[in-house]
Amino acid sequence: MAVRPTFLSGDVFTAANATILAASVVAINAQTGTTYTAVVGDVGKLITASNAAAIALTIPPSVFAIGDQINIMQGTGGSGVVTITAGAGVTLNSNGAKLKTNGQYAVATVLCTAANTFVVVGNLSA
């Protein structure tokens, strides 16, 4: 992720500056259902999953490249725990097999480390 540039009075704002600035802003993908399958458009975004019921968020096969990262937050719309699930052929690695958000506002990051292989880190429970 790029570092936010500092601008001073009289500086010229260039297209390169705009690209850096745009890359430093995290977009939100608000989800309110009980199931969601991540898509390549979610890379670099924060998926907010908000529902009173449990939420299954699936990481599908053959979609993400090494280094792609998705952030997931158990949102404000209810107490539904988000369970991160592996699509067919996908491996999710996590310390202690923790793949569920640990409560409201808990955040997890899913990082692609190899083809169809991911590490899941964050405020998680088993």
Side-chain angles (χ1 to χ4, degrees), residues 4 6 9 27 32 38 46 50 75-76 90 99 102-105 119 124:
R4 246 181 238 259
T6 302
S9 177
T32 57
L46 174 66
S50 301
T76 60
V90 170
L99 296 171
N102 201 28
Q104 191 172 28
Y105 305 114
V119 64
L124 299 164

Side-chain angles (χ1 to χ4, degrees), residues 4-117:
R4 246 181 238 259
T6 302
F7 298 102
L8 304 173
S9 177
D11 283 353
V12 175
F13 189 74
T14 66
N17 295 133
T19 300
I20 292 168
L21 190 60
S24 68
V25 176
V26 176
I28 305 290
N29 175 0
Q31 294 295 317
T32 57
T34 56
T35 61
Y36 180 71
T37 299
V39 297
V40 73
D42 290 322
V43 172
K45 292 184 180 179
L46 174 66
I47 301 169
T48 58
S50 301
N51 197 298
I55 302 158
L57 191 143
T58 302
I59 305 300
S62 305
V63 172
F64 301 103
I66 295 171
D68 283 353
Q69 174 180 307
I70 299 169
N71 299 298
I72 302 157
M73 182 182 79
Q74 183 177 327
T76 60
S79 57
V81 170
V82 180
T83 300
I84 302 164
T85 62
V90 170
T91 300
L92 298 176
N93 297 304
S94 176
N95 179 275
K98 296 176 182 175
L99 296 171
K100 296 181 179 186
T101 53
N102 201 28
Q104 191 172 28
Y105 305 114
V107 176
T109 297
V110 180
L111 175 66
C112 184
T113 57
N116 294 322
T117 303

